[in-house]
Amino acid sequence: MVTAGLLLAAGAGRRLGRPKALLPYRGQLLVEHAAAVLTAAGCQPVVVVLGAQADEVRDRTRLSDVVVNEDWTTGMGSSLRAGLAALTSSAAVAVVVTLVDMPGLTPAAVRRVARDATAGTLAVATYADGRRGHPVLLGRNHWAGVSEAAVGDRGARDYLRAQGEAVRLVPCADVADDTDVDLPEQAARLPG
């Protein structure tokens, strides 16, 4: 069973003051690190959705499967729809979705969430106090419903809530950190 990776990296980083995809992180850009996590976890293909300053991101990286979301200003929902649409011709039975601004995400967490993926599987990583986060696994049978529900800055959240107990909750706090980088002071603490 093939599980794809989908990295949402299209935002302008308004609170940060620049696109998060362009943040330096351990000798590369944060977008490269995030894509490498999905690849190391065995996801294939790994599709990266870009938007704000997409040309600069492409010029400064060696990302191979890139989709440019021309509607990125409308929010994360359009990026999720663009990424899922790009994967419809792939052999993937499911996709692991994550965000570019989570430097503490690990291949172990991605593998844990993707374990036993089928076309009907839904799974969400959980962290401290049962807080739901990324990565999220979407089986192919759910892509159309997720795409319909992904509007504005809402990705798959509403769709997943509507599925209730069909969503497998996967504890990941022991293998990953779900802290995201939203503010300049958080970016300043990243190892460059």
Side-chain angles (χ1 to χ4, degrees):
M1 299 279 194
V2 176
T3 300
L6 179 55
L7 176 59
L8 304 182
R14 285 185 296 268
R15 289 183 287 172
L16 183 65
R18 61 182 164 157
K20 297 172 186 179
L22 290 169
L23 287 174
Y25 184 72
R26 296 185 175 167
Q28 58 187 340
L29 295 182
L30 192 55
V31 68
E32 292 172 298
H33 166 75
V37 167
L38 290 168
T39 300
C43 296
Q44 63 174 342
V46 173
V47 172
V48 180
V49 181
L50 300 176
Q53 297 184 23
D55 289 339
E56 182 177 352
V57 175
R58 281 195 290 204
D59 289 346
R60 294 181 55 190
T61 64
R62 292 188 178 134
L63 299 170
S64 56
D65 287 321
V66 172
V67 172
V68 177
N69 175 13
E70 300 295 343
D71 296 325
W72 64 270
T73 58
T74 64
M76 180 180 23
S78 63
S79 290
L80 180 55
R81 290 192 311 270
L84 291 174
L87 286 165
T88 57
S89 63
S90 76
V93 298
V95 62
V96 175
V97 181
T98 193
L99 308 175
V100 71
D101 65 355
M102 294 179 58
L105 185 64
T106 63
V110 173
R111 283 191 295 270
R112 191 177 285 179
V113 170
R115 186 175 43 233
D116 301 324
T118 69
T121 305
L122 293 170
V124 176
T126 61
Y127 296 92
D129 300 322
R131 182 179 63 252
R132 294 180 181 203
H134 287 86
V136 172
L137 179 81
L138 305 172
R140 183 181 278 270
N141 295 349
H142 298 280
W143 294 1
V146 168
S147 292
E148 187 176 316
V151 177
D153 273 328
R154 301 184 78 78
R157 183 183 313 151
D158 293 340
Y159 182 85
L160 292 168
R161 280 198 181 128
Q163 303 309 307
E165 293 183 14
V167 179
R168 180 170 44 102
L169 302 179
V170 183
C172 289
D174 63 322
V175 294
D177 179 359
D178 69 330
T179 303
D180 57 1
V181 179
D182 283 330
L183 304 171
E185 53 270 22
Q186 293 170 315
R189 291 192 294 267
L190 289 175

